[in-house]
Amino acid sequence: MKNLVILGGGYGGTTLLHELLDHKIPADTQLILVDRMPFQGLKTEYYALAAGTSSDMELRVKFPVHPKLSMRYGEVTGINMDDKSISFAEGEPLEYDQLVIALGCVDNFHGVPGADTFTSTIQTFEATRETYRRVNNLPPQATVNIVGGGLSGIEIAAEIRESREDLHVRILDRGERLLSASPPRLSKYVQDWFKEHNVEIRNKINISRVEEDCVYNGPDERIPADITVWTAGIRPVPLVDELNVNQDNSGRVILDDLYRIPGRPEIFVCGDCASLPFAASAQAAEAQAEQIANVIVAGWKGEQPKVQPLKLKGTLGALGKHAGFGSGFGFGGKSSVTGRVPRLLKSGVLWMSRHHFG
Ligand SMILES: Cc1cc2nc3c(=O)[nH]c(=O)nc-3n(C[C@H](O)[C@H](O)[C@H](O)COP(=O)(O)OP(=O)(O)OC[C@H]3O[C@@H](n4cnc5c(N)ncnc54)[C@H](O)[C@@H]3O)c2cc1C
């Protein structure tokens, strides 16, 4: 029997799985999904779990059940490309014939001293639960520093504001405006929303170190906080860093035209671990997974594999449960939209993720 092993049941891994299960799987092939969790965690909503506005259960999606699919739950500790096997913290290694690496990312602390020790994070389900515990156990009027004014930082700041009106929430951002990659109109809407909801914004911040109860801007300015949440950049999981392969400046694996590691046609890399012409996103992971499925299915049928260019739709962000923003969708000729409509659209996208549509 040939093992097609998918490492990671997140946005990329589960999309790939659903696409493959829609086809007839060859009699001599079995699919094996590997994850540390027995369900998919909807990472795009981890900010709401951390704030306490969504429950743990709401962010879990069951994996599919199929006679040609088996699960291996556990912590992957090594990808051994030469002997084509995967090692685990516990139990026997798993051999593969084809492999898809879709293990996602971790925080990038950019070498800032103390950042990995003293900040809370929302990059894994487990870490998000811990952030939830810390944020929600804070005494009244405590202060939360959020480092990073991109999508995740904004969403968690807004959600904490909605969850805990008593807390002092402060966003520390490196750019001149929040969401610096988005149209200025959108940044202004978001900044105004925060002003109206009493969230402090500090721009042009350069964090030099983090301590238990503060961060430092430049060498001297101490910015105190009871908790600091880090949302200032990502990089692929360390297991991918350890591979002897070519990587781009963000540590993502450089791939051939069919999303395989050059010289290793049996290994695909998907999602946040893959060097794509876009910022890492669930949307990109899903779009790429569909194309990887086409390549694998073509192999099953003995056909020439082809991939279509990846097309992304745009970005939607939430400011609590009632307001939001979107850009890149070409909404009636506008480059961006704000208010209740994009928030409703975002809820619709989440609903589709939960039910594996789209
Ligand atoms: C707060 C927040 C908001 C976001 N909002 C958006 C958004 O609005 N739109 C958007 O497109 N993107 C958004 N993103 C980004 C998006 O979540 C990621 O780009 C997406 O999850 C990447 O998919 P993936 O399949 O590469 O990895 P993931 O979905 O992270 O899946 C990786 C899987 O691998 C498993 N895994 C990792 N390491 C191991 C190991 N050692 N052993 C076993 N299992 C392991 C994990 O448990 C996980 O199930 C957001 C991210 C965050 C944090």
Side-chain angles (χ1 to χ4, degrees), residues 156-228:
I156 192 170
E159 210 76 11
I160 292 177
R161 164 52 63 245
E162 196 159 290
S163 167
R164 294 274 315 256
E165 285 183 10
D166 62 293
L167 295 180
H168 177 206
V169 182
R170 180 192 291 129
I171 301 176
L172 302 173
D173 187 31
R174 199 173 49 169
E176 292 193 0
R177 55 182 174 91
L178 297 180
L179 290 175
S180 54
S182 300
R185 172 182 173 274
L186 209 147
S187 297
K188 183 172 176 338
Y189 171 79
V190 171
Q191 299 228 169
D192 289 349
W193 190 93
F194 280 126
K195 210 175 279 175
E196 200 182 308
H197 290 81
N198 212 15
V199 171
E200 184 186 347
I201 297 169
R202 297 272 319 264
N203 299 111
K204 299 191 199 166
I205 293 288
N206 176 20
I207 296 194
S208 60
R209 66 182 197 275
V210 182
E211 293 180 357
E212 192 165 10
D213 57 355
C214 68
V215 303
Y216 278 85
N217 176 32
D220 300 323
E221 188 196 356
R222 186 176 179 278
I223 305 178
D226 296 277
I227 289 183
T228 297

Side-chain angles (χ1 to χ4, degrees), residues 7-13 34-37 39-41 43-47 74-77 102-105 122-123 151-152 155 237 239 270-273 280-285 315-316 346:
L7 295 184
Y11 281 90
V34 174
D35 206 291
R36 57 164 72 104
M37 303 191 293
F39 49 78
Q40 181 193 356
K43 187 169 183 178
T44 57
E45 299 296 306
Y46 283 2
Y47 67 90
E75 186 68 22
V76 176
T77 53
L103 290 168
C105 66
I122 50 173
Q123 288 304 337
L151 181 63
S152 319
E155 291 192 318
V237 290
L239 279 169
C270 183
D272 290 357
C273 297
S281 72
Q283 229 187 110
T315 304
L316 291 167
K346 189 170 165 89

